[in-house]
Amino acid sequence: MNEGSNNLLSQLRDIHAAAEPGWWPPAPGWWVLALLAALCAALVLRQAYRVWSVRRRRRQLLVALDAIALNIDPQEQPHEFLSRMNRLFRVVALRAFPGTACARMQGSDWVRFIQASMPRGVPLEGLWALASGPYQCRPEFDAAGLQQLARRWVGKYG
């Protein structure tokens, strides 16, 4: 070997470890993982918001139902009581069944619609007061039973 090649060989270093990789920017796999984590977090937050809003709406409807029971005596003001109960049933129905014709239903059609939507095994005789009560001079109905049906209705569809 000549003098020039010896000089070049003396400049070579022995095998050494590579430098530590920097933490930024992350590898593409970490970007994908971060995107998936953000997507999952967004879906969880969206579902949590839906559950929260349904619970809030049901609480508000139950407060309205309790206000009806506290402010209106069904023996003294039966028509007002039935009107407000009917309004509560209708508010829930319009929210729960937006594509149906429940907004235009009246009388026995309206009561049949509610009956068809209630779970089986629930006594539904008290609902007929919503259909016939407003047209009677002194309607007789079970106010407590109607309130229980309204609670079930709100609990299921509110």
Side-chain angles (χ1 to χ4, degrees):
M1 287 210 256
N2 62 17
E3 180 73 27
S5 63
N6 279 339
N7 191 16
L8 290 176
L9 284 175
S10 66
Q11 292 178 1
L12 290 178
R13 293 188 328 191
D14 197 12
I15 296 176
H16 59 283
E20 285 288 322
W23 64 274
W24 195 260
W30 288 108
W31 286 106
V32 170
L33 186 64
L35 183 66
L36 287 175
L39 182 66
C40 288
L43 290 175
V44 166
L45 287 174
R46 181 179 174 199
Q47 186 62 27
Y49 177 75
R50 284 182 178 174
V51 168
W52 176 78
S53 65
V54 166
R55 286 182 181 171
R56 187 187 75 202
R57 186 176 58 246
R58 285 182 182 162
R59 268 194 313 269
Q60 290 171 344
L61 289 168
L62 289 174
V63 165
L65 180 62
D66 292 338
I68 292 170
L70 287 175
N71 298 331
I72 300 172
D73 182 15
Q75 300 302 321
E76 297 292 321
Q77 300 171 307
H79 292 100
E80 181 67 22
F81 182 83
L82 288 174
S83 171
R84 295 232 181 138
M85 292 298 285
N86 197 16
R87 192 174 309 141
L88 182 79
F89 274 99
R90 197 166 300 273
V91 164
V92 173
L94 289 173
R95 174 77 178 152
F97 307 103
T100 62
C102 64
R104 294 185 303 269
M105 291 182 184
Q106 294 179 350
S108 59
D109 291 337
W110 172 236
V111 172
R112 283 192 200 99
F113 175 79
I114 296 172
Q115 284 179 333
S117 304
M118 288 291 232
R120 296 191 188 275
V122 176
L124 302 172
E125 294 79 29
L127 286 175
W128 286 102
L130 296 176
S132 61
Y135 307 109
Q136 296 175 352
C137 180
R138 230 25 213 163
E140 294 196 16
F141 57 92
D142 179 19
L146 192 58
Q147 286 176 324
Q148 286 299 94
L149 289 172
R151 282 196 184 284
R152 283 185 178 253
W153 181 257
V154 168
K156 184 166 184 170
Y157 298 110

